[in-house]
Amino acid sequence: MNSNAAISVDHISKSYGSFRAVDDLSFEVYRGEIFAMLGPNGAGKSTTMRMILDILKPDTGQITVLGGPLTESTKDRIGYLPEERGLYRNVRVLEMMVYLGTLKGMSRANAQQSSLALLERLGMADQAKKKVSELSKGMQQKIQFGVTVLHQPDLIIIDEPFSGLDPVNSLVLKDLLFDFKNRGGTIVMSTHQMAQVEEMCDRLLMINRGQQKLYGAVETIRQQYALHAVIVEGQGQWASLPGVSKVEPLQNGRKAVLLHLEPQATADHILAAIAASPDMHIERFEMAVPDLNDIFIRVVEGAQA
Amino acid sequence: MNKTLLVAQREYLFNLKRRSFLFAVFGVPVFTFVVWAVVFVVMSDSDNTLGANMTYGYVDQSGILADPVTVSDAPQSFEPYADETSARAALDEKIIGAYFLLPENYLRTGEVQSYSYDSLPQVLQDAFKSFLLANLSRGVETDFPVDRIQQPVTLTIHPLDSGRTLTEANLPALVFIPLIFSFVFLMSSNVTSGFLMGGIVEERSNRIMEILVTSITPTQLLMGKILGLGVLGLTQLVVWGGAGLILINVGQQFPFLNGISFPLDLMVVFVIFFLVSYFLLASLMAGIGAVVGSEQESRQFASLISLILVIPFFFLTTFINNPNSNLALALSFIPFTSPITILLRMGFGSVPFWQIAVSLLILLVTTLFVIWASARVFRWGLLLYGKRIGIRQLIRVIWSSPEMGVSHSGSARGNE
């Protein structure tokens, strides 16, 4: 086991009756990274998170969290944002935050102080005395995330943190997440928004039907799925270039086309050839590395085909 | 601080501030004060209109009141009238409030007519009866005081196995005390265990439960809640006890309430039964709260349980007439009906010690079982939302104590 691992999951499986929700899954989450868990609905993401949090026990396999099996004191070092959100409704914001903070082992004074500081950061200082039910939905979501990090945990596990957030609040949340990471915190998040994964996450695990489909650094995986092709945009008879086997218009590019290369050709050759040819002009030239969305769709559809 | 105590503290403070609790604690005693005050005013008022400070007439055709003696300390005075016409005229002019007519054959039949515009109050009837009795007894050769003929028995009852002394003066109080105790018992255990269930249902439907169970264990949560709300129930009792003491002191002013006191043995039994059945109700409600789908559904269960608790009230007259009947005995041993049955029986008569002991033992064993079973159901049901749960499934859960159940968001759903 890697001593640098915040979470180490070792061959876990979980079934509900005859339904195998998680099937022999192994992975590690390193300290200080943002780790994405991807997969279609019902793939087993939430079940895996709940097993890490000891809400559920795996049928087989082992999980180590922050250096050992999950104990009472480990729980105090973890923050959890469940997929289904909820807060007390008829309670004042500050009162609720302090209560949930103390349940994570904070002293009352400390919880009070941290809650006020956090509300300040969220731009909600003047809402502290309001009842939760009086807050707008966006505010409630910010409070919800606030509760997750209030007790300054080492690790947070957040299930679909961006779902339902408007763009402005998404930015606020993103800032908070990076801030948490920069202070050495580890983040495990599940999401459907691939753009967020590409932008924020260091490594990812993609599961489908409880099984591991992709696992590793985000960049490495994108490279793995890279086509032997380049994307160009500009003017020229692309098909006449040496080493190009096929020209394919890009689905959502304006004038961009995808140039499939012959096995021995490289992107450098193509670029050199374009540069050498006076009747060709390029405005854009890049490796045809698919975005995660494409990979996601390819993996899921591949599994269903 | 210990996390169980944190939960207890939160539950206590949160529910203490609730409007429904404040109403139950302060509204009920105030309401009771007001009702009693109204009753006293009405009662003394009816005494005044046709009672004291009023003159009444009589027309004696039998002759026994020819030379009447009057009852010395009676507030009412009775004036003779020669015939009905003059008596009727005095009544119409409101000189007298009413008049009585003793016909010629009164001594043989005992028949007396009364005429009045208002209804004839009991005090006046009693006063006229005493007046007649005082005059009739003159015809009997006796050295006995007239008072003894009027009231031959002033009974003081000594049920030897309870050690309590019951006098006629405190008999009305006697009926009240067990009723008050039972009422307090019901109110306070119902309010607090209802809060307990409502809180759990809310935390489940708000989904905050999932955050709670990653901070504390279900057992800590359950015990914290039961503890916090138990202290809340005791708070309610203390407030009511204080109000009761004030009421008793005030009540001493009224002859009607003279005898009211809190018998010590009843108090002790009350507190013990209260505590044990609070734990029974609270853990039962917690178990139910952990598996019902909605607030509405939980209220149905709560009222069903209250209904079982008040069964003894349906047999109130049976208990008063015969506190040791077979029915009373049976209800004393059934866990949910036993606390109130025992309290009522103790008030109305005496309950042998062994019966109290057996009743308490059965209650205690049931309570321990329910706590144990509810803890399992509680743990299992916390994160299950929107699912109907059958009784057979519950039995399986109690039997085998599976891990926490969860609802799946996945399309492929397991069967449990």
Side-chain angles (χ1 to χ4, degrees):
Chain A
M1 188 185 77
N2 191 332
S3 63
N4 196 30
I7 301 173
S8 173
V9 170
D10 188 20
H11 296 285
I12 57 164
S13 295
K14 179 76 187 172
S15 299
Y16 301 117
S18 58
F19 171 60
R20 213 161 167 79
V22 172
D23 191 0
D24 194 31
L25 202 58
S26 297
F27 62 91
E28 284 186 336
V29 177
Y30 303 143
R31 285 180 201 265
E33 74 174 352
I34 302 184
F35 186 84
M37 276 176 69
L38 308 173
N41 287 328
K45 300 183 301 271
S46 292
T47 299
T48 305
M49 286 185 169
R50 283 166 163 170
M51 283 193 280
I52 293 170
L53 288 157
D54 203 34
I55 295 173
L56 296 173
K57 301 249 185 285
D59 298 334
T60 58
Q62 281 195 339
I63 298 173
T64 313
V65 182
L66 297 174
L70 196 71
T71 61
E72 280 302 292
S73 58
T74 321
K75 277 186 181 180
D76 290 348
R77 294 163 60 201
I78 301 176
Y80 175 44
L81 181 71
E83 183 183 3
E84 297 207 64
R85 305 295 151 71
L87 295 169
Y88 289 106
R89 299 194 57 76
N90 285 317
V91 189
R92 300 190 192 289
V93 172
L94 184 62
E95 190 184 330
M96 181 194 67
M97 292 177 81
V98 170
Y99 174 56
L100 293 175
T102 53
L103 285 187
K104 283 290 188 185
M106 300 177 90
S107 73
R108 255 196 96 74
N110 192 2
Q112 176 105 12
Q113 205 183 346
S114 301
S115 300
L116 285 172
L118 191 65
L119 284 171
E120 188 77 43
R121 280 208 58 198
L122 293 170
M124 293 179 61
D126 50 342
Q127 319 284 335
K129 302 278 180 208
K130 277 197 183 164
K131 287 196 171 174
V132 176
S133 53
E134 295 167 31
L135 299 183
S136 72
K137 206 168 171 232
M139 285 180 177
Q140 289 193 20
Q141 281 169 324
K142 283 201 274 185
I143 293 295
Q144 202 122 38
F145 182 77
V147 167
T148 313
V149 293
L150 178 64
H151 56 293
Q152 283 133 18
D154 299 328
L155 165 69
I156 57 174
I157 296 176
I158 47 185
D159 208 344
E160 312 253 357
F162 292 99
S163 82
L165 281 186
D166 63 35
V168 177
N169 283 322
S170 288
L171 269 179
V172 174
L173 176 59
K174 212 179 287 174
D175 279 350
L176 283 165
L177 285 176
F178 277 123
D179 188 59
F180 179 78
K181 180 191 168 166
N182 290 338
R183 280 188 282 161
T186 308
I187 301 171
V188 176
M189 66 181 226
S190 81
T191 180
H192 284 300
Q193 281 160 283
M194 296 303 155
Q196 237 109 38
V197 178
E198 285 177 46
E199 186 188 337
M200 300 174 61
C201 297
D202 303 298
R203 296 193 314 131
L204 67 80
L205 169 74
M206 186 186 291
I207 51 180
N208 191 27
R209 297 181 184 183
Q211 290 174 328
Q212 175 187 316
K213 290 299 167 194
L214 293 171
Y215 172 54
V218 172
E219 268 321 297
T220 315
I221 286 171
R222 286 185 64 196
Q223 297 299 336
Q224 273 171 15
Y225 275 78
L227 296 169
H228 194 46
V230 293
I231 294 167
V232 292
E233 201 176 316
Q235 289 98 42
Q237 294 297 314
W238 310 118
S240 68
L241 284 169
V244 172
S245 61
K246 189 179 152 206
V247 179
E248 187 186 330
L250 266 186
Q251 274 168 358
N252 42 11
R254 286 155 303 169
K255 295 175 287 180
V257 290
L258 188 63
L259 305 184
H260 290 271
L261 307 187
E262 283 168 357
Q264 73 283 3
T266 67
D268 293 348
H269 294 142
I270 303 296
L271 188 57
I274 293 173
S277 150
D279 52 349
M280 287 186 177
H281 298 285
I282 49 168
E283 289 148 20
R284 175 180 165 205
F285 183 93
E286 67 181 59
M287 303 299 298
V289 178
D291 60 22
L292 279 176
N293 208 31
D294 294 335
I295 298 174
F296 180 83
I297 291 168
R298 235 192 285 174
V299 167
V300 172
E301 282 180 348
Q304 277 161 355
Chain B
M1 206 197 297
N2 179 314
K3 285 181 178 178
T4 306
L5 291 181
L6 275 175
V7 176
Q9 186 189 38
R10 191 260 167 188
E11 292 293 328
Y12 179 79
L13 291 176
F14 175 73
N15 288 298
L16 188 70
K17 288 185 276 182
R18 276 164 82 137
R19 232 171 274 155
S20 49
F21 180 74
L22 292 176
F23 177 75
V25 168
F26 297 107
V28 170
V30 167
F31 184 72
T32 317
F33 274 122
V34 169
V35 167
W36 284 33
V38 167
V39 166
F40 291 136
V41 167
V42 167
M43 276 174 66
S44 45
D45 195 44
S46 73
D47 280 357
N48 286 334
T49 49
L50 264 183
N53 314 323
M54 239 311 183
T55 310
Y56 301 92
Y58 61 89
V59 178
D60 176 31
Q61 295 169 346
S62 69
I64 72 146
L65 295 173
D67 176 22
V69 290
T70 52
V71 180
S72 53
D73 54 347
Q76 302 89 351
S77 64
F78 297 97
E79 293 291 328
Y81 285 85
D83 49 39
E84 270 204 82
T85 327
S86 56
R88 181 61 184 265
L91 181 64
D92 287 344
E93 285 165 35
K94 299 199 189 320
I95 297 169
I96 54 172
Y99 70 90
F100 298 86
L101 173 66
L102 278 69
E104 273 175 60
N105 60 357
Y106 162 73
L107 275 177
R108 200 158 37 81
T109 63
E111 280 177 10
V112 176
Q113 322 292 326
S114 81
Y115 300 89
S116 61
Y117 286 106
D118 283 322
S119 63
L120 209 62
Q122 189 65 42
V123 272
L124 181 57
Q125 293 178 37
D126 292 343
F128 192 66
K129 224 179 269 177
S130 300
F131 176 59
L132 279 180
L133 201 58
N135 284 286
L136 283 170
S137 58
R138 282 195 306 170
V140 184
E141 279 297 322
T142 175
D143 294 331
F144 300 136
V146 176
D147 283 355
R148 280 295 69 72
I149 296 170
Q150 296 217 12
Q151 190 176 5
V153 177
T154 304
L155 192 62
T156 300
I157 306 162
H158 299 268
L160 288 176
D161 43 3
S162 81
R164 198 157 337 138
T165 312
L166 316 170
T167 64
E168 230 159 275
N170 68 16
L171 246 140
L174 191 64
V175 183
F176 268 118
I177 286 289
L179 285 181
I180 290 172
F181 271 59
S182 310
F183 176 73
V184 167
F185 177 93
L186 269 180
M187 280 293 289
S188 134
S189 56
N190 245 3
V191 165
T192 47
S193 57
F195 282 173
L196 179 71
M197 176 156 74
I200 293 168
V201 171
E202 194 205 344
E203 281 164 351
R204 284 177 64 231
S205 63
N206 273 351
R207 310 294 196 251
I208 202 163
M209 197 55 98
E210 198 155 347
I211 293 176
L212 293 182
V213 297
T214 51
S215 306
I216 52 177
T217 65
T219 313
Q220 285 172 330
L221 184 64
L222 179 64
M223 290 308 148
K225 278 174 180 296
I226 291 180
L227 196 66
L229 287 162
V231 176
L232 189 74
L234 286 177
T235 308
Q236 191 173 4
L237 285 189
V238 168
V239 173
W240 285 5
L245 285 177
I246 294 171
L247 204 63
I248 287 168
N249 282 328
V250 174
Q252 304 299 340
Q253 320 292 324
F254 302 93
F256 174 67
L257 287 172
N258 250 339
I260 286 206
S261 64
F262 286 165
L264 188 66
D265 55 346
L266 198 60
M267 295 267 276
V268 170
V269 169
F270 173 81
V271 170
I272 293 173
F273 270 86
F274 175 81
L275 287 177
V276 177
S277 35
Y278 167 73
F279 280 108
L280 173 64
L281 284 182
S283 48
L284 185 68
M285 296 280 205
I288 293 171
V291 291
V292 291
S294 65
E295 179 111 32
Q296 200 183 359
E297 205 180 330
S298 75
R299 290 217 178 111
Q300 287 169 3
F301 276 103
S303 42
L304 185 72
I305 290 172
S306 321
L307 199 66
I308 298 172
L309 287 175
V310 299
I311 284 178
F313 283 121
F314 300 146
F315 303 104
L316 206 56
T317 47
T318 318
F319 291 167
I320 294 175
N321 292 333
N322 187 0
N324 293 311
S325 64
N326 286 337
L327 177 74
L329 215 60
L331 289 176
S332 301
F333 296 141
I334 300 171
F336 287 90
T337 57
S338 61
I340 287 183
T341 308
I342 293 277
L343 286 175
L344 291 176
R345 288 180 57 205
M346 279 186 74
F348 299 146
S350 64
V351 183
F353 177 74
W354 71 266
Q355 288 186 12
I356 298 177
V358 170
S359 171
L360 190 61
L361 188 71
I362 294 175
L363 188 65
L364 208 59
V365 170
T366 312
T367 303
L368 290 176
F369 172 77
V370 170
I371 290 176
W372 172 80
S374 274
R376 293 186 156 194
V377 172
F378 186 75
R379 196 176 105 87
W380 174 75
L382 286 182
L383 300 183
L384 283 175
Y385 317 119
K387 216 175 113 173
R388 285 225 152 253
I389 289 149
I391 191 82
R392 294 173 76 186
Q393 202 174 4
L394 279 185
I395 292 169
R396 192 185 56 79
V397 167
I398 292 169
W399 187 251
S400 65
S401 185
E403 65 177 348
M404 227 178 264
V406 290
S407 312
H408 315 300
S409 56
S411 48
R413 205 167 274 258
N415 48 6
E416 261 168 38

